[in-house]
Amino acid sequence: MSEGDKAENKFDEFKGKAKENLGKATDNDQWKAEGKTEQSKSKLKQAGEKVKDALSPDDKPKSG
């Protein structure tokens, strides 16, 4: 995973947190829910990328 992808996922997580907090401040349930959803998606992407990073080409099974 490139550093750019990692930064983008972290930024998306930050945006979700900001949206959730704005929803709390304005008592907007839709923004709170959207913010939580964005954070969850970002964290899931980050977890998937960590698994990919952990599997270096040497760790993958060889065919043949």
Side-chain angles (χ1 to χ4, degrees):
M1 176 176 168
S2 73
E3 292 300 317
D5 289 340
K6 289 180 183 180
E8 184 178 338
N9 288 338
K10 275 297 197 186
F11 182 69
D12 288 343
E13 182 180 354
F14 174 77
K15 284 190 322 187
K17 187 67 174 171
K19 186 182 266 187
E20 179 186 3
N21 287 335
L22 185 59
K24 287 179 182 178
T26 60
D27 198 32
N28 185 320
D29 291 335
Q30 181 177 350
W31 283 355
K32 286 190 277 188
E34 287 176 6
K36 286 182 180 182
T37 300
E38 289 175 16
Q39 289 175 73
S40 295
K41 284 181 184 179
S42 175
K43 288 180 181 179
L44 186 58
K45 285 181 188 177
Q46 290 176 49
E49 294 300 337
K50 284 181 182 179
V51 169
K52 285 184 195 176
D53 288 346
L55 294 175
S56 68
D58 295 334
D59 293 340
K60 294 181 182 175
K62 296 179 182 177
S63 61

